[in-house]
Amino acid sequence: MALHRCAVVGVGQTHHTSCRGDVSIAGLVREAVDRALLDANMTLADIDAIVIGKAPDMLEGVMMPELWLTDSLAASGKPLFRVHTAGSVGGSTAIVAAQHVMSGLHKRVLTIAFEKQSDGNAMWALSVPLPFSMPVHAGAGGYFSPIVRSYIRRSGAPSHIGAMVAVKDRTNALKNPYAHLHEDHWTLEKAMESPMLWDPIRFVETCPSSDGAIALVLASEDVADKMPGKKAWVHSTAMRSEPTMFAGRNQVSPRAGEMCAEDVFRKAGITDPLKQIDAVEMYVPFSWFEPMWLENLGFAPKDQGWRFVEDGVTEMTGALPVNASGGVLSSNPIGASGMLRFGEAALQVMGKAGEHQIDGARTALGHAYGGGSQFFAMWVVGSEKN
Amino acid sequence: MADDILRIRTPIGIDYTWSSGPGSVVYMRGLENGKLIGRRCPACELVYFPPRNGICPRCGVLLAAEVEVGPRGTITTFCIVNVPFLGQTIKIPYVAATILLDGADIGMQHLIQECEAADVRMGMRVEPVWKDKSEWTPSLENILYYKPTGEPDADFDVYARHL
Ligand SMILES: [Zn+2]
């Protein structure tokens, strides 16, 4: 089946911060939506359909917030979908929205992802005791830290790699006015002294807890062609999933992630990702996941991802800039974090990333994962039509 | 300005009734009797402990034969938890380890004690310390923690495919 072309024609996000006590969830979401619509030079009346996503409802304790948000998004008389794939949800929500356009069903689709972490307690929500297991689990860090230890053991990576990624992302975030953390004091030496929270993960190597939202306006080719502004054409999208626990599972480099990357690159006609991708926005909530995903995505050979970090390949000036925006390590409104990766990738190829623009970026990858590295969502966007 | 009106604190809680299902009943019964019972997949022959949902996630078929696993096992990987959080029941710092019980093909999480956190290693051999029999319930919490056995560490190759 031939797909219709789809372009990102508007991007809007909030300034991510630890507590937006001045707005409700609806107010936070509407702020991002208004900015995206302004960027696309549209109003809510122009929108045909709305696709919204957020991470587990338990994070804020507001069950099915889409019921409430229908009002503030003027969704009356329009289709509204809620998407849910844990931490990858921002990515999969953007993909579902793109499919609304690529199917030929809709011409102007608004997609939104958000999290208001200050309204709840994510650490508690992600540490719920289960009747068949021992309650030693300690949030996302407690889940991912043993996997990071496995990666370090398997690859022989030196212990400063995680700190290097953290310093890079925090430094990149200084160029992004929307980033939650603007910390200009980090050096590798200081980062190495940061306390171990979930040993082997240091405090500096963890993401913050953020309130924030992002919205994208997606348009069909005929609509996008009539718009004067820059666009990001969606060259391909892919999603994959796998069980969180099964015997013999490769938890460091899940097969679903490898399959998702192979699929998204194949559909975009990319045969040499390292050469053909100009910028990557990768879901890295704990810094060690940068080298791990470099391998999982096929940018680096097995066990060699950390060498890319050490050699500066993923710096803004490197051959494969990763997270010029500062990434999840600098802003983590969980449900929005995946769409932030997708939106930041779009901004790069639109040439609208401001101070953190990668010069001449024409093709970019947006990447998100969620659950126990269980759900993967990716898209490749380009400055030209595919 | 009245900040307590701008942000009102409204705690919520959830109590669950969990239907263990036939797949997990043997596991829960085993724990109640001080035994670690897993189940083998008839297709791939791998042993699951706990036999969650009673299904092999790889093959999608019902797990079959009951297999007693452990009690000893090997630490495949671990986290030293040094972060306090709401609802935490164990004093920090503590070691949450993934333990591959002898005879099982998937690791399970438990606590490591009677050993400094800094001395815990991948490949370390451990054994369970049970609560007093009078306190046993159908719960993995019947095991207070795992402690080192003093045996030589397992070779990396032995557990590498479980990481
Ligand atoms: Zn099987």
Side-chain angles (χ1 to χ4, degrees):
Chain A
M1 185 190 72
L3 294 174
H4 297 256
R5 287 201 176 95
C6 170
V8 180
V9 297
V11 180
Q13 61 182 296
T14 61
H15 289 85
H16 312 294
T17 184
S18 56
C19 178
R20 281 296 303 273
D22 60 318
V23 287
S24 62
I25 288 176
L28 184 77
V29 165
R30 186 60 189 264
E31 200 171 288
V33 166
D34 287 346
R35 287 175 184 178
L37 289 169
L38 184 69
D39 192 38
N41 196 26
M42 289 188 197
T43 69
L44 275 173
D46 297 316
I47 298 298
D48 304 327
I50 297 164
V51 184
I52 190 161
K54 74 170 298 293
D57 291 353
M58 270 253 273
L59 298 193
E60 287 104 347
V62 177
M63 299 301 131
M64 296 188 286
E66 63 275 16
L67 304 186
W68 172 26
L69 296 172
T70 306
D71 314 7
S72 54
L73 297 173
S76 318
K78 296 174 186 176
L80 182 145
F81 284 94
R82 158 90 186 268
V83 179
H84 187 175
T85 58
S88 73
V89 70
S92 46
T93 303
I95 289 176
V96 171
Q99 287 167 346
H100 274 55
V101 175
M102 291 164 130
S103 65
L105 283 175
H106 297 288
K107 290 188 178 297
R108 296 170 196 82
V109 176
L110 174 67
T111 185
I112 307 138
F114 71 93
E115 206 74 58
K116 200 156 185 293
Q117 286 215 57
S118 72
D119 274 10
N121 189 323
M123 184 79 182
W124 168 80
L126 296 173
S127 310
V128 174
L130 299 169
F132 42 80
S133 61
M134 182 70 186
V136 291
H137 191 52
Y143 181 86
F144 290 115
S145 134
I147 298 172
V148 166
R149 185 181 299 279
S150 299
Y151 173 72
I152 294 170
R153 173 67 180 80
R154 200 185 266 184
S155 68
S159 82
H160 63 266
I161 297 298
M164 280 187 79
V165 173
V167 172
K168 168 182 73 77
D169 284 4
R170 295 283 157 75
T171 305
N172 288 352
L174 297 173
K175 297 179 191 297
N176 177 2
Y178 297 103
H180 177 171
L181 299 181
H182 287 122
E183 301 173 340
D184 58 6
H185 58 275
W186 287 109
T187 60
L188 183 58
E189 292 69 32
K190 274 193 187 165
M192 290 291 285
E193 286 164 15
S194 177
M196 288 287 188
L197 280 196
W198 289 281
D199 191 328
I201 297 177
R202 298 179 181 90
F203 176 55
V204 68
E205 298 166 359
T206 66
C207 52
S209 173
S210 316
D211 288 0
I214 174 166
L216 307 176
V217 179
L218 305 180
S220 59
E221 186 175 13
D222 56 330
V223 170
D225 279 344
K226 292 194 193 93
M227 296 176 66
K230 301 220 170 97
K231 297 125 206 169
W233 294 94
V234 180
H235 288 193
S236 65
T237 69
M239 289 177 61
R240 289 291 186 283
S241 51
E242 73 179 36
T244 318
M245 291 184 200
F246 60 88
R249 180 178 188 219
N250 186 339
Q251 296 179 84
V252 174
S253 188
R255 183 72 191 113
E258 295 173 357
M259 290 169 76
C260 193
E262 285 162 15
D263 191 33
V264 85
F265 290 142
R266 182 185 56 77
K267 288 194 286 203
I270 287 168
T271 50
D272 186 347
L274 188 55
K275 274 217 180 85
Q276 292 170 268
I277 297 287
D278 304 316
V280 181
E281 282 286 334
M282 187 190 279
Y283 202 104
V284 178
F286 301 100
S287 60
W288 280 97
F289 275 81
E290 180 176 299
M292 288 161 66
W293 294 145
L294 283 171
E295 296 173 26
N296 188 251
L297 291 164
F299 288 114
K302 188 173 178 293
D303 298 337
Q304 303 297 311
W306 63 269
R307 292 186 194 272
F308 280 45
V309 175
E310 190 156 60
D311 295 344
V313 174
T314 59
E315 302 263 353
M316 272 190 73
T317 51
L320 186 76
V322 175
N323 293 330
S325 65
V328 183
L329 276 181
S330 303
S331 316
N332 190 28
I334 304 176
S337 289
M339 195 178 289
L340 282 164
R341 308 283 69 72
F342 279 45
E344 287 286 350
L347 286 172
Q348 287 292 343
V349 300
M350 292 160 105
K352 286 165 57 168
E355 260 197 272
H356 63 282
Q357 178 68 44
I358 303 298
D359 285 340
R362 294 166 55 85
T363 311
L365 174 71
H367 161 274
Y369 84 99
S373 306
Q374 174 174 22
F375 297 120
F376 293 85
M378 303 173 195
W379 80 7
V380 172
V381 284
S383 54
E384 307 296 326
K385 287 182 189 176
N386 44 320
Chain B
M1 193 156 62
D3 283 347
D4 56 341
I5 293 176
L6 287 176
R7 285 170 73 81
I8 299 166
R9 191 172 157 76
T10 60
I12 57 163
I14 308 174
D15 282 318
Y16 291 94
T17 300
W18 185 66
S19 301
S20 58
S24 293
V25 164
V26 286
Y27 160 76
M28 311 292 274
R29 283 266 151 71
L31 289 170
E32 205 167 26
N33 295 301
K35 288 193 189 317
L36 307 175
I37 309 289
R39 302 185 82 170
R40 190 186 302 278
C41 170
C44 67
E45 306 206 321
L46 298 174
V47 172
Y48 277 83
F49 179 88
R52 271 180 71 177
N53 307 325
I55 301 252
C56 173
R58 296 171 72 112
C59 309
V61 300
L62 288 172
L63 296 172
E66 296 172 21
V67 181
E68 186 165 354
V69 298
R72 291 188 169 188
T74 300
I75 294 178
T76 58
T77 183
F78 62 94
C79 168
I80 304 173
V81 179
N82 206 12
V83 52
F85 60 92
L86 184 70
Q88 195 169 44
T89 54
I90 306 162
K91 194 168 152 277
I92 57 168
Y94 65 88
V95 177
T98 306
I99 302 165
L100 184 67
L101 294 174
D102 296 348
D105 290 295
I106 186 165
M108 61 117 196
Q109 289 245 306
H110 219 291
L111 186 66
I112 305 299
Q113 308 248 285
E114 293 193 35
C115 172
E116 290 296 320
D119 293 334
V120 175
R121 300 177 300 276
M122 292 170 80
M124 188 182 240
R125 296 282 297 157
V126 291
E127 63 188 4
V129 173
W130 293 79
K131 277 184 186 166
D132 185 83
K133 200 172 174 177
S134 62
E135 297 173 50
W136 287 353
T137 62
S139 164
L140 203 51
E141 289 184 72
N142 290 354
I143 295 173
L144 289 165
Y145 55 84
Y146 277 74
K147 66 172 185 182
T149 64
E151 293 168 274
D153 289 358
D155 283 340
F156 182 62
D157 294 345
V158 174
Y159 59 88
R161 73 182 180 89
H162 297 284
L163 297 176

